[in-house]
Amino acid sequence: MCAGPGHIVVYGNPAFVSEFGAQSVGLPARESMLGLPAEAFELLDAVLREGRPLARWVRRAGEDWRLTVTPRLGM
């Protein structure tokens, strides 16, 4: 889960921590989620801007990933 325009990682579920490491929590997504293509961060920006869930396929390390992002509510 990311917060704000810097997309600070405030929570990582077990799958996230397995992929990016526990040290990623508390860091901006662009600094901690290495290897994600620019399209992933464009998706984060779009969700922040539009305030609604969005998804897209991205390619990382030769694999297709379905990236789903939902806005953080109740802040």
Side-chain angles (χ1 to χ4, degrees):
M1 181 181 312
C2 298
H7 306 300
I8 304 298
V9 178
V10 295
Y11 170 77
N13 66 19
F16 175 91
V17 171
S18 174
E19 190 64 35
F20 298 106
Q23 74 279 2
S24 295
V25 177
L27 295 175
R30 284 180 172 86
E31 293 177 21
S32 62
M33 298 170 73
L34 302 177
L36 287 182
E39 295 84 12
F41 301 107
E42 292 168 5
L43 182 64
L44 290 171
D45 291 338
V47 169
L48 182 65
R49 183 176 55 253
E50 297 179 24
R52 64 185 182 97
L54 297 169
R56 73 178 303 164
W57 287 97
V58 297
R59 191 142 182 92
R60 178 177 184 260
E63 296 182 17
D64 290 328
W65 285 32
R66 181 69 172 167
L67 181 61
T68 303
V69 180
T70 61
R72 186 168 183 217
L73 304 175
M75 288 185 68

